Amino acid sequence: MTAPDRLSPGDPAPEFTLTTDTGDTLSLADLRGRRVILYAYPAAMTPGCTKQACDFRDSLASLQAAGYEVVGISPDKPEKLAKFRDRDGITFPLVSDPDKSVLTAYGAYGEKQLYGKTVTGVIRSTFVIDADGKIERALYNVKATGHVAKLRRDLGLD
């Protein structure tokens, strides 16, 4: 497997309809007209992913006040996402992409470096999608800690 194709500003955001942590479905089309922060993370309830989710949770009110909706995406099953939501008080949708097709379409699944080795997995990434469904920002290989604060600065919110 080679490095995945990456999205760039101006590209259309790949459409999706996925099952959420509540068992409902969420489509990107459902969010048209709003700006969306879609962030891809490797696995619910792991330390880095928990830190990142809690940072988004803690910033959710100000992100929403600035016109952003937040959605987390991982290959985890909806049942695990529900446990993650309940354990950590996550207050935004978490969507399940078990076959990794959406993650792949966003360039957030493929070869990456992990502890000096090349492995295949979810590439921690964040996508800012404009109200028309176009990529505004595509950030790959982000750090779990400090990423939300940096994103807020980059979006002019801090």
Side-chain angles (χ1 to χ4, degrees), residues 35-39 52 55-56 59 63 66 68-71 125-129 136-139 142-158:
R35 295 169 86 189
V36 177
I37 297 170
L38 177 70
Y39 80 96
Q52 188 177 24
D55 284 352
F56 272 116
S59 288
L63 289 168
Y68 294 95
E69 297 295 331
V70 175
V71 178
S125 308
T126 298
F127 307 92
V128 180
I129 303 166
E136 204 171 285
R137 294 172 190 261
L139 309 167
V142 301
K143 302 284 184 229
T145 301
H147 171 62
V148 176
K150 181 183 182 320
L151 180 64
R152 290 174 56 81
R153 285 192 303 276
D154 290 350
L155 295 174
L157 302 178
D158 284 338

PDB file of all heavy atoms in Angstrom, residues 35-39 52 55-56 59 63 66 68-71 125-129 136-139 142-158:
ATOM      1  N   ARG A  35     -20.673  25.004   8.251  1.00  0.00           N
ATOM      2  CA  ARG A  35     -19.269  24.614   8.167  1.00  0.00           C
ATOM      3  C   ARG A  35     -19.067  23.431   9.104  1.00  0.00           C
ATOM      4  O   ARG A  35     -19.644  23.395  10.194  1.00  0.00           O
ATOM      5  CB  ARG A  35     -18.387  25.785   8.544  1.00  0.00           C
ATOM      6  CG  ARG A  35     -18.540  26.929   7.533  1.00  0.00           C
ATOM      7  CD  ARG A  35     -17.897  28.184   8.020  1.00  0.00           C
ATOM      8  NE  ARG A  35     -16.488  28.188   7.656  1.00  0.00           N
ATOM      9  CZ  ARG A  35     -15.629  29.086   8.099  1.00  0.00           C
ATOM     10  NH1 ARG A  35     -16.002  30.037   8.934  1.00  0.00           N
ATOM     11  NH2 ARG A  35     -14.369  29.038   7.725  1.00  0.00           N
ATOM     12  N   VAL A  36     -18.249  22.484   8.663  1.00  0.00           N
ATOM     13  CA  VAL A  36     -18.059  21.236   9.402  1.00  0.00           C
ATOM     14  C   VAL A  36     -16.575  21.009   9.661  1.00  0.00           C
ATOM     15  O   VAL A  36     -15.755  21.188   8.767  1.00  0.00           O
ATOM     16  CB  VAL A  36     -18.635  20.030   8.605  1.00  0.00           C
ATOM     17  CG1 VAL A  36     -18.367  18.720   9.334  1.00  0.00           C
ATOM     18  CG2 VAL A  36     -20.117  20.218   8.336  1.00  0.00           C
ATOM     19  N   ILE A  37     -16.262  20.633  10.890  1.00  0.00           N
ATOM     20  CA  ILE A  37     -14.934  20.132  11.231  1.00  0.00           C
ATOM     21  C   ILE A  37     -15.084  18.623  11.379  1.00  0.00           C
ATOM     22  O   ILE A  37     -15.756  18.150  12.299  1.00  0.00           O
ATOM     23  CB  ILE A  37     -14.399  20.760  12.534  1.00  0.00           C
ATOM     24  CG1 ILE A  37     -14.227  22.272  12.359  1.00  0.00           C
ATOM     25  CG2 ILE A  37     -13.083  20.096  12.935  1.00  0.00           C
ATOM     26  CD1 ILE A  37     -13.936  23.011  13.655  1.00  0.00           C
ATOM     27  N   LEU A  38     -14.530  17.890  10.423  1.00  0.00           N
ATOM     28  CA  LEU A  38     -14.547  16.426  10.454  1.00  0.00           C
ATOM     29  C   LEU A  38     -13.147  15.993  10.854  1.00  0.00           C
ATOM     30  O   LEU A  38     -12.172  16.327  10.177  1.00  0.00           O
ATOM     31  CB  LEU A  38     -14.897  15.865   9.072  1.00  0.00           C
ATOM     32  CG  LEU A  38     -14.871  14.343   8.938  1.00  0.00           C
ATOM     33  CD1 LEU A  38     -16.032  13.714   9.716  1.00  0.00           C
ATOM     34  CD2 LEU A  38     -14.942  13.937   7.466  1.00  0.00           C
ATOM     35  N   TYR A  39     -13.055  15.282  11.989  1.00  0.00           N
ATOM     36  CA  TYR A  39     -11.714  14.841  12.392  1.00  0.00           C
ATOM     37  C   TYR A  39     -11.671  13.328  12.468  1.00  0.00           C
ATOM     38  O   TYR A  39     -12.604  12.678  12.939  1.00  0.00           O
ATOM     39  CB  TYR A  39     -11.264  15.522  13.686  1.00  0.00           C
ATOM     40  CG  TYR A  39     -11.806  14.952  14.965  1.00  0.00           C
ATOM     41  CD1 TYR A  39     -11.062  14.033  15.698  1.00  0.00           C
ATOM     42  CD2 TYR A  39     -13.048  15.329  15.449  1.00  0.00           C
ATOM     43  CE1 TYR A  39     -11.548  13.506  16.882  1.00  0.00           C
ATOM     44  CE2 TYR A  39     -13.540  14.809  16.629  1.00  0.00           C
ATOM     45  CZ  TYR A  39     -12.786  13.888  17.339  1.00  0.00           C
ATOM     46  OH  TYR A  39     -13.276  13.366  18.505  1.00  0.00           O
ATOM     47  N   GLN A  52      -7.967  14.256  22.389  1.00  0.00           N
ATOM     48  CA  GLN A  52      -8.442  15.045  21.258  1.00  0.00           C
ATOM     49  C   GLN A  52      -9.962  15.236  21.309  1.00  0.00           C
ATOM     50  O   GLN A  52     -10.460  16.349  21.125  1.00  0.00           O
ATOM     51  CB  GLN A  52      -8.033  14.362  19.953  1.00  0.00           C
ATOM     52  CG  GLN A  52      -8.304  15.195  18.720  1.00  0.00           C
ATOM     53  CD  GLN A  52      -7.819  14.527  17.448  1.00  0.00           C
ATOM     54  OE1 GLN A  52      -7.682  13.315  17.383  1.00  0.00           O
ATOM     55  NE2 GLN A  52      -7.574  15.332  16.432  1.00  0.00           N
ATOM     56  N   ASP A  55     -10.865  17.682  24.000  1.00  0.00           N
ATOM     57  CA  ASP A  55     -10.532  19.053  23.598  1.00  0.00           C
ATOM     58  C   ASP A  55     -11.604  19.614  22.665  1.00  0.00           C
ATOM     59  O   ASP A  55     -12.020  20.768  22.811  1.00  0.00           O
ATOM     60  CB  ASP A  55      -9.162  19.106  22.911  1.00  0.00           C
ATOM     61  CG  ASP A  55      -7.996  18.991  23.881  1.00  0.00           C
ATOM     62  OD1 ASP A  55      -8.220  19.022  25.115  1.00  0.00           O
ATOM     63  OD2 ASP A  55      -6.849  18.870  23.397  1.00  0.00           O
ATOM     64  N   PHE A  56     -12.070  18.794  21.712  1.00  0.00           N
ATOM     65  CA  PHE A  56     -13.163  19.251  20.839  1.00  0.00           C
ATOM     66  C   PHE A  56     -14.439  19.477  21.667  1.00  0.00           C
ATOM     67  O   PHE A  56     -15.128  20.480  21.492  1.00  0.00           O
ATOM     68  CB  PHE A  56     -13.434  18.261  19.712  1.00  0.00           C
ATOM     69  CG  PHE A  56     -12.597  18.491  18.485  1.00  0.00           C
ATOM     70  CD1 PHE A  56     -11.680  17.558  18.064  1.00  0.00           C
ATOM     71  CD2 PHE A  56     -12.741  19.654  17.736  1.00  0.00           C
ATOM     72  CE1 PHE A  56     -10.904  17.768  16.924  1.00  0.00           C
ATOM     73  CE2 PHE A  56     -11.971  19.879  16.598  1.00  0.00           C
ATOM     74  CZ  PHE A  56     -11.052  18.928  16.193  1.00  0.00           C
ATOM     75  N   SER A  59     -14.310  22.709  23.507  1.00  0.00           N
ATOM     76  CA  SER A  59     -14.352  23.876  22.621  1.00  0.00           C
ATOM     77  C   SER A  59     -15.631  23.939  21.802  1.00  0.00           C
ATOM     78  O   SER A  59     -15.815  24.865  21.011  1.00  0.00           O
ATOM     79  CB  SER A  59     -13.161  23.837  21.649  1.00  0.00           C
ATOM     80  OG  SER A  59     -11.964  24.111  22.320  1.00  0.00           O
ATOM     81  N   LEU A  63     -16.930  26.789  19.091  1.00  0.00           N
ATOM     82  CA  LEU A  63     -16.876  26.408  17.678  1.00  0.00           C
ATOM     83  C   LEU A  63     -18.255  26.558  17.037  1.00  0.00           C
ATOM     84  O   LEU A  63     -18.389  27.098  15.939  1.00  0.00           O
ATOM     85  CB  LEU A  63     -16.348  24.982  17.516  1.00  0.00           C
ATOM     86  CG  LEU A  63     -14.866  24.772  17.803  1.00  0.00           C
ATOM     87  CD1 LEU A  63     -14.535  23.290  17.894  1.00  0.00           C
ATOM     88  CD2 LEU A  63     -13.997  25.454  16.751  1.00  0.00           C
ATOM     89  N   ALA A  66     -19.216  30.041  16.371  1.00  0.00           N
ATOM     90  CA  ALA A  66     -18.539  30.564  15.189  1.00  0.00           C
ATOM     91  C   ALA A  66     -19.055  29.910  13.904  1.00  0.00           C
ATOM     92  O   ALA A  66     -18.531  30.170  12.821  1.00  0.00           O
ATOM     93  CB  ALA A  66     -17.032  30.358  15.317  1.00  0.00           C
ATOM     94  N   TYR A  68     -19.455  26.402  13.301  1.00  0.00           N
ATOM     95  CA  TYR A  68     -18.904  25.088  12.960  1.00  0.00           C
ATOM     96  C   TYR A  68     -19.661  23.970  13.664  1.00  0.00           C
ATOM     97  O   TYR A  68     -20.026  24.097  14.833  1.00  0.00           O
ATOM     98  CB  TYR A  68     -17.430  24.985  13.376  1.00  0.00           C
ATOM     99  CG  TYR A  68     -16.518  25.904  12.604  1.00  0.00           C
ATOM    100  CD1 TYR A  68     -16.181  27.156  13.105  1.00  0.00           C
ATOM    101  CD2 TYR A  68     -16.001  25.522  11.376  1.00  0.00           C
ATOM    102  CE1 TYR A  68     -15.347  28.005  12.392  1.00  0.00           C
ATOM    103  CE2 TYR A  68     -15.160  26.372  10.655  1.00  0.00           C
ATOM    104  CZ  TYR A  68     -14.847  27.608  11.179  1.00  0.00           C
ATOM    105  OH  TYR A  68     -14.034  28.451  10.479  1.00  0.00           O
ATOM    106  N   GLU A  69     -19.861  22.862  12.947  1.00  0.00           N
ATOM    107  CA  GLU A  69     -20.320  21.612  13.538  1.00  0.00           C
ATOM    108  C   GLU A  69     -19.106  20.690  13.598  1.00  0.00           C
ATOM    109  O   GLU A  69     -18.265  20.715  12.693  1.00  0.00           O
ATOM    110  CB  GLU A  69     -21.413  20.965  12.687  1.00  0.00           C
ATOM    111  CG  GLU A  69     -22.679  21.788  12.570  1.00  0.00           C
ATOM    112  CD  GLU A  69     -23.411  21.957  13.891  1.00  0.00           C
ATOM    113  OE1 GLU A  69     -23.319  21.063  14.755  1.00  0.00           O
ATOM    114  OE2 GLU A  69     -24.074  22.990  14.052  1.00  0.00           O
ATOM    115  N   VAL A  70     -19.004  19.881  14.639  1.00  0.00           N
ATOM    116  CA  VAL A  70     -17.879  18.955  14.792  1.00  0.00           C
ATOM    117  C   VAL A  70     -18.397  17.527  14.654  1.00  0.00           C
ATOM    118  O   VAL A  70     -19.432  17.173  15.236  1.00  0.00           O
ATOM    119  CB  VAL A  70     -17.184  19.129  16.165  1.00  0.00           C
ATOM    120  CG1 VAL A  70     -16.095  18.076  16.370  1.00  0.00           C
ATOM    121  CG2 VAL A  70     -16.608  20.533  16.294  1.00  0.00           C
ATOM    122  N   VAL A  71     -17.684  16.710  13.889  1.00  0.00           N
ATOM    123  CA  VAL A  71     -17.997  15.291  13.722  1.00  0.00           C
ATOM    124  C   VAL A  71     -16.685  14.520  13.807  1.00  0.00           C
ATOM    125  O   VAL A  71     -15.706  14.877  13.134  1.00  0.00           O
ATOM    126  CB  VAL A  71     -18.679  15.007  12.364  1.00  0.00           C
ATOM    127  CG1 VAL A  71     -18.950  13.512  12.194  1.00  0.00           C
ATOM    128  CG2 VAL A  71     -19.968  15.805  12.213  1.00  0.00           C
ATOM    129  N   SER A 125      -6.233  13.123  11.279  1.00  0.00           N
ATOM    130  CA  SER A 125      -6.412  14.223  10.323  1.00  0.00           C
ATOM    131  C   SER A 125      -7.630  15.047  10.702  1.00  0.00           C
ATOM    132  O   SER A 125      -8.538  14.558  11.366  1.00  0.00           O
ATOM    133  CB  SER A 125      -6.635  13.669   8.910  1.00  0.00           C
ATOM    134  OG  SER A 125      -5.642  12.743   8.541  1.00  0.00           O
ATOM    135  N   THR A 126      -7.649  16.288  10.238  1.00  0.00           N
ATOM    136  CA  THR A 126      -8.800  17.161  10.447  1.00  0.00           C
ATOM    137  C   THR A 126      -9.102  17.885   9.140  1.00  0.00           C
ATOM    138  O   THR A 126      -8.193  18.365   8.461  1.00  0.00           O
ATOM    139  CB  THR A 126      -8.523  18.185  11.563  1.00  0.00           C
ATOM    140  OG1 THR A 126      -8.295  17.471  12.782  1.00  0.00           O
ATOM    141  CG2 THR A 126      -9.702  19.138  11.749  1.00  0.00           C
ATOM    142  N   PHE A 127     -10.393  17.947   8.826  1.00  0.00           N
ATOM    143  CA  PHE A 127     -10.860  18.594   7.607  1.00  0.00           C
ATOM    144  C   PHE A 127     -11.873  19.661   7.981  1.00  0.00           C
ATOM    145  O   PHE A 127     -12.819  19.386   8.719  1.00  0.00           O
ATOM    146  CB  PHE A 127     -11.510  17.572   6.667  1.00  0.00           C
ATOM    147  CG  PHE A 127     -10.598  16.407   6.411  1.00  0.00           C
ATOM    148  CD1 PHE A 127     -10.667  15.266   7.204  1.00  0.00           C
ATOM    149  CD2 PHE A 127      -9.621  16.475   5.433  1.00  0.00           C
ATOM    150  CE1 PHE A 127      -9.800  14.210   7.009  1.00  0.00           C
ATOM    151  CE2 PHE A 127      -8.736  15.429   5.240  1.00  0.00           C
ATOM    152  CZ  PHE A 127      -8.826  14.294   6.016  1.00  0.00           C
ATOM    153  N   VAL A 128     -11.653  20.867   7.490  1.00  0.00           N
ATOM    154  CA  VAL A 128     -12.634  21.933   7.644  1.00  0.00           C
ATOM    155  C   VAL A 128     -13.344  22.011   6.295  1.00  0.00           C
ATOM    156  O   VAL A 128     -12.709  22.201   5.251  1.00  0.00           O
ATOM    157  CB  VAL A 128     -11.974  23.272   8.013  1.00  0.00           C
ATOM    158  CG1 VAL A 128     -13.029  24.362   8.157  1.00  0.00           C
ATOM    159  CG2 VAL A 128     -11.176  23.126   9.318  1.00  0.00           C
ATOM    160  N   ILE A 129     -14.661  21.818   6.340  1.00  0.00           N
ATOM    161  CA  ILE A 129     -15.487  21.762   5.132  1.00  0.00           C
ATOM    162  C   ILE A 129     -16.404  22.976   5.136  1.00  0.00           C
ATOM    163  O   ILE A 129     -17.069  23.250   6.146  1.00  0.00           O
ATOM    164  CB  ILE A 129     -16.300  20.446   5.111  1.00  0.00           C
ATOM    165  CG1 ILE A 129     -15.352  19.245   5.201  1.00  0.00           C
ATOM    166  CG2 ILE A 129     -17.187  20.381   3.868  1.00  0.00           C
ATOM    167  CD1 ILE A 129     -16.024  17.925   5.521  1.00  0.00           C
ATOM    168  N   GLU A 136     -12.005  23.298   2.954  1.00  0.00           N
ATOM    169  CA  GLU A 136     -11.404  24.599   3.247  1.00  0.00           C
ATOM    170  C   GLU A 136      -9.967  24.395   3.754  1.00  0.00           C
ATOM    171  O   GLU A 136      -9.065  25.138   3.407  1.00  0.00           O
ATOM    172  CB  GLU A 136     -12.255  25.281   4.320  1.00  0.00           C
ATOM    173  CG  GLU A 136     -12.177  26.759   4.380  1.00  0.00           C
ATOM    174  CD  GLU A 136     -13.221  27.312   5.336  1.00  0.00           C
ATOM    175  OE1 GLU A 136     -14.414  27.334   4.974  1.00  0.00           O
ATOM    176  OE2 GLU A 136     -12.840  27.693   6.459  1.00  0.00           O
ATOM    177  N   ARG A 137      -9.805  23.387   4.614  1.00  0.00           N
ATOM    178  CA  ARG A 137      -8.488  23.012   5.141  1.00  0.00           C
ATOM    179  C   ARG A 137      -8.441  21.492   5.257  1.00  0.00           C
ATOM    180  O   ARG A 137      -9.418  20.880   5.670  1.00  0.00           O
ATOM    181  CB  ARG A 137      -8.255  23.587   6.537  1.00  0.00           C
ATOM    182  CG  ARG A 137      -8.172  25.093   6.582  1.00  0.00           C
ATOM    183  CD  ARG A 137      -8.143  25.585   8.025  1.00  0.00           C
ATOM    184  NE  ARG A 137      -8.289  27.026   8.069  1.00  0.00           N
ATOM    185  CZ  ARG A 137      -7.278  27.869   8.210  1.00  0.00           C
ATOM    186  NH1 ARG A 137      -6.059  27.420   8.354  1.00  0.00           N
ATOM    187  NH2 ARG A 137      -7.492  29.167   8.235  1.00  0.00           N
ATOM    188  N   ALA A 138      -7.285  20.922   4.920  1.00  0.00           N
ATOM    189  CA  ALA A 138      -7.042  19.488   5.087  1.00  0.00           C
ATOM    190  C   ALA A 138      -5.727  19.354   5.837  1.00  0.00           C
ATOM    191  O   ALA A 138      -4.669  19.703   5.314  1.00  0.00           O
ATOM    192  CB  ALA A 138      -6.970  18.793   3.738  1.00  0.00           C
ATOM    193  N   LEU A 139      -5.802  18.913   7.074  1.00  0.00           N
ATOM    194  CA  LEU A 139      -4.646  18.828   7.960  1.00  0.00           C
ATOM    195  C   LEU A 139      -4.369  17.356   8.259  1.00  0.00           C
ATOM    196  O   LEU A 139      -5.209  16.676   8.842  1.00  0.00           O
ATOM    197  CB  LEU A 139      -4.917  19.596   9.250  1.00  0.00           C
ATOM    198  CG  LEU A 139      -5.424  21.038   9.057  1.00  0.00           C
ATOM    199  CD1 LEU A 139      -5.954  21.597  10.355  1.00  0.00           C
ATOM    200  CD2 LEU A 139      -4.317  21.901   8.491  1.00  0.00           C
ATOM    201  N   VAL A 142      -1.869  15.202  12.308  1.00  0.00           N
ATOM    202  CA  VAL A 142      -1.927  16.170  13.406  1.00  0.00           C
ATOM    203  C   VAL A 142      -1.631  15.469  14.721  1.00  0.00           C
ATOM    204  O   VAL A 142      -1.776  14.250  14.847  1.00  0.00           O
ATOM    205  CB  VAL A 142      -3.305  16.884  13.458  1.00  0.00           C
ATOM    206  CG1 VAL A 142      -3.588  17.608  12.149  1.00  0.00           C
ATOM    207  CG2 VAL A 142      -4.421  15.924  13.798  1.00  0.00           C
ATOM    208  N   LYS A 143      -1.216  16.223  15.695  1.00  0.00           N
ATOM    209  CA  LYS A 143      -0.952  15.693  17.036  1.00  0.00           C
ATOM    210  C   LYS A 143      -2.255  15.723  17.824  1.00  0.00           C
ATOM    211  O   LYS A 143      -3.040  16.666  17.707  1.00  0.00           O
ATOM    212  CB  LYS A 143       0.083  16.550  17.758  1.00  0.00           C
ATOM    213  CG  LYS A 143       1.398  16.661  17.029  1.00  0.00           C
ATOM    214  CD  LYS A 143       2.214  15.404  17.179  1.00  0.00           C
ATOM    215  CE  LYS A 143       3.574  15.538  16.546  1.00  0.00           C
ATOM    216  NZ  LYS A 143       3.909  14.430  15.696  1.00  0.00           N
ATOM    217  N   ALA A 144      -2.474  14.722  18.647  1.00  0.00           N
ATOM    218  CA  ALA A 144      -3.694  14.687  19.456  1.00  0.00           C
ATOM    219  C   ALA A 144      -3.698  15.831  20.467  1.00  0.00           C
ATOM    220  O   ALA A 144      -4.704  16.517  20.641  1.00  0.00           O
ATOM    221  CB  ALA A 144      -3.812  13.343  20.174  1.00  0.00           C
ATOM    222  N   THR A 145      -2.571  16.031  21.118  1.00  0.00           N
ATOM    223  CA  THR A 145      -2.487  17.056  22.151  1.00  0.00           C
ATOM    224  C   THR A 145      -2.159  18.403  21.513  1.00  0.00           C
ATOM    225  O   THR A 145      -1.203  18.519  20.750  1.00  0.00           O
ATOM    226  CB  THR A 145      -1.398  16.675  23.174  1.00  0.00           C
ATOM    227  OG1 THR A 145      -1.736  15.410  23.739  1.00  0.00           O
ATOM    228  CG2 THR A 145      -1.304  17.704  24.281  1.00  0.00           C
ATOM    229  N   GLY A 146      -2.970  19.391  21.815  1.00  0.00           N
ATOM    230  CA  GLY A 146      -2.723  20.742  21.331  1.00  0.00           C
ATOM    231  C   GLY A 146      -3.309  21.047  19.966  1.00  0.00           C
ATOM    232  O   GLY A 146      -3.304  22.192  19.526  1.00  0.00           O
ATOM    233  N   HIS A 147      -3.848  20.024  19.294  1.00  0.00           N
ATOM    234  CA  HIS A 147      -4.359  20.240  17.945  1.00  0.00           C
ATOM    235  C   HIS A 147      -5.570  21.176  17.924  1.00  0.00           C
ATOM    236  O   HIS A 147      -5.651  22.062  17.073  1.00  0.00           O
ATOM    237  CB  HIS A 147      -4.726  18.911  17.281  1.00  0.00           C
ATOM    238  CG  HIS A 147      -5.443  19.086  15.987  1.00  0.00           C
ATOM    239  ND1 HIS A 147      -4.875  19.725  14.903  1.00  0.00           N
ATOM    240  CD2 HIS A 147      -6.692  18.756  15.601  1.00  0.00           C
ATOM    241  CE1 HIS A 147      -5.746  19.763  13.913  1.00  0.00           C
ATOM    242  NE2 HIS A 147      -6.849  19.185  14.307  1.00  0.00           N
ATOM    243  N   VAL A 148      -6.508  20.987  18.833  1.00  0.00           N
ATOM    244  CA  VAL A 148      -7.717  21.813  18.821  1.00  0.00           C
ATOM    245  C   VAL A 148      -7.353  23.276  19.082  1.00  0.00           C
ATOM    246  O   VAL A 148      -7.867  24.180  18.415  1.00  0.00           O
ATOM    247  CB  VAL A 148      -8.768  21.283  19.814  1.00  0.00           C
ATOM    248  CG1 VAL A 148      -9.978  22.204  19.876  1.00  0.00           C
ATOM    249  CG2 VAL A 148      -9.199  19.868  19.414  1.00  0.00           C
ATOM    250  N   ALA A 149      -6.445  23.523  20.007  1.00  0.00           N
ATOM    251  CA  ALA A 149      -6.009  24.894  20.277  1.00  0.00           C
ATOM    252  C   ALA A 149      -5.361  25.524  19.040  1.00  0.00           C
ATOM    253  O   ALA A 149      -5.644  26.671  18.687  1.00  0.00           O
ATOM    254  CB  ALA A 149      -5.036  24.915  21.461  1.00  0.00           C
ATOM    255  N   LYS A 150      -4.532  24.755  18.335  1.00  0.00           N
ATOM    256  CA  LYS A 150      -3.896  25.254  17.118  1.00  0.00           C
ATOM    257  C   LYS A 150      -4.962  25.512  16.043  1.00  0.00           C
ATOM    258  O   LYS A 150      -4.921  26.551  15.353  1.00  0.00           O
ATOM    259  CB  LYS A 150      -2.851  24.275  16.607  1.00  0.00           C
ATOM    260  CG  LYS A 150      -2.138  24.780  15.350  1.00  0.00           C
ATOM    261  CD  LYS A 150      -1.151  23.763  14.814  1.00  0.00           C
ATOM    262  CE  LYS A 150      -0.395  24.259  13.599  1.00  0.00           C
ATOM    263  NZ  LYS A 150      -1.139  25.018  12.630  1.00  0.00           N
ATOM    264  N   LEU A 151      -5.905  24.590  15.890  1.00  0.00           N
ATOM    265  CA  LEU A 151      -6.976  24.764  14.901  1.00  0.00           C
ATOM    266  C   LEU A 151      -7.783  26.033  15.196  1.00  0.00           C
ATOM    267  O   LEU A 151      -8.078  26.810  14.287  1.00  0.00           O
ATOM    268  CB  LEU A 151      -7.885  23.530  14.882  1.00  0.00           C
ATOM    269  CG  LEU A 151      -9.052  23.568  13.893  1.00  0.00           C
ATOM    270  CD1 LEU A 151      -8.538  23.615  12.457  1.00  0.00           C
ATOM    271  CD2 LEU A 151      -9.941  22.352  14.108  1.00  0.00           C
ATOM    272  N   ARG A 152      -8.081  26.246  16.462  1.00  0.00           N
ATOM    273  CA  ARG A 152      -8.845  27.445  16.848  1.00  0.00           C
ATOM    274  C   ARG A 152      -8.067  28.708  16.467  1.00  0.00           C
ATOM    275  O   ARG A 152      -8.647  29.656  15.945  1.00  0.00           O
ATOM    276  CB  ARG A 152      -9.139  27.434  18.352  1.00  0.00           C
ATOM    277  CG  ARG A 152     -10.137  26.373  18.784  1.00  0.00           C
ATOM    278  CD  ARG A 152     -10.264  26.322  20.301  1.00  0.00           C
ATOM    279  NE  ARG A 152     -10.619  27.633  20.811  1.00  0.00           N
ATOM    280  CZ  ARG A 152     -11.854  28.140  20.821  1.00  0.00           C
ATOM    281  NH1 ARG A 152     -12.833  27.419  20.353  1.00  0.00           N
ATOM    282  NH2 ARG A 152     -12.092  29.336  21.301  1.00  0.00           N
ATOM    283  N   ARG A 153      -6.764  28.709  16.697  1.00  0.00           N
ATOM    284  CA  ARG A 153      -5.939  29.871  16.315  1.00  0.00           C
ATOM    285  C   ARG A 153      -5.952  30.043  14.795  1.00  0.00           C
ATOM    286  O   ARG A 153      -6.125  31.146  14.286  1.00  0.00           O
ATOM    287  CB  ARG A 153      -4.498  29.709  16.811  1.00  0.00           C
ATOM    288  CG  ARG A 153      -4.335  29.936  18.305  1.00  0.00           C
ATOM    289  CD  ARG A 153      -2.867  30.045  18.718  1.00  0.00           C
ATOM    290  NE  ARG A 153      -2.060  28.895  18.343  1.00  0.00           N
ATOM    291  CZ  ARG A 153      -1.960  27.777  19.053  1.00  0.00           C
ATOM    292  NH1 ARG A 153      -2.615  27.642  20.199  1.00  0.00           N
ATOM    293  NH2 ARG A 153      -1.191  26.790  18.633  1.00  0.00           N
ATOM    294  N   ASP A 154      -5.783  28.926  14.062  1.00  0.00           N
ATOM    295  CA  ASP A 154      -5.754  28.984  12.590  1.00  0.00           C
ATOM    296  C   ASP A 154      -7.076  29.481  12.015  1.00  0.00           C
ATOM    297  O   ASP A 154      -7.100  30.132  10.971  1.00  0.00           O
ATOM    298  CB  ASP A 154      -5.430  27.609  11.991  1.00  0.00           C
ATOM    299  CG  ASP A 154      -3.990  27.185  12.251  1.00  0.00           C
ATOM    300  OD1 ASP A 154      -3.174  28.011  12.727  1.00  0.00           O
ATOM    301  OD2 ASP A 154      -3.690  26.000  11.987  1.00  0.00           O
ATOM    302  N   LEU A 155      -8.179  29.193  12.699  1.00  0.00           N
ATOM    303  CA  LEU A 155      -9.501  29.634  12.243  1.00  0.00           C
ATOM    304  C   LEU A 155      -9.851  31.044  12.737  1.00  0.00           C
ATOM    305  O   LEU A 155     -10.926  31.553  12.455  1.00  0.00           O
ATOM    306  CB  LEU A 155     -10.585  28.651  12.722  1.00  0.00           C
ATOM    307  CG  LEU A 155     -10.502  27.234  12.127  1.00  0.00           C
ATOM    308  CD1 LEU A 155     -11.528  26.319  12.787  1.00  0.00           C
ATOM    309  CD2 LEU A 155     -10.666  27.255  10.608  1.00  0.00           C
ATOM    310  N   GLY A 156      -8.913  31.644  13.486  1.00  0.00           N
ATOM    311  CA  GLY A 156      -9.124  32.999  13.975  1.00  0.00           C
ATOM    312  C   GLY A 156     -10.101  33.090  15.135  1.00  0.00           C
ATOM    313  O   GLY A 156     -10.704  34.138  15.366  1.00  0.00           O
ATOM    314  N   LEU A 157     -10.235  31.999  15.904  1.00  0.00           N
ATOM    315  CA  LEU A 157     -11.179  31.975  17.016  1.00  0.00           C
ATOM    316  C   LEU A 157     -10.523  32.346  18.342  1.00  0.00           C
ATOM    317  O   LEU A 157     -11.217  32.569  19.322  1.00  0.00           O
ATOM    318  CB  LEU A 157     -11.835  30.607  17.129  1.00  0.00           C
ATOM    319  CG  LEU A 157     -12.584  30.144  15.875  1.00  0.00           C
ATOM    320  CD1 LEU A 157     -13.148  28.752  16.081  1.00  0.00           C
ATOM    321  CD2 LEU A 157     -13.679  31.131  15.497  1.00  0.00           C
ATOM    322  N   ASP A 158      -9.207  32.344  18.396  1.00  0.00           N
ATOM    323  CA  ASP A 158      -8.500  32.709  19.639  1.00  0.00           C
ATOM    324  C   ASP A 158      -7.555  33.864  19.389  1.00  0.00           C
ATOM    325  O   ASP A 158      -7.108  34.108  18.308  1.00  0.00           O
ATOM    326  CB  ASP A 158      -7.697  31.516  20.174  1.00  0.00           C
ATOM    327  CG  ASP A 158      -8.599  30.488  20.843  1.00  0.00           C
ATOM    328  OD1 ASP A 158      -9.707  30.829  21.262  1.00  0.00           O
ATOM    329  OD2 ASP A 158      -8.166  29.340  20.909  1.00  0.00           O
TER     330      ASP A 158
END
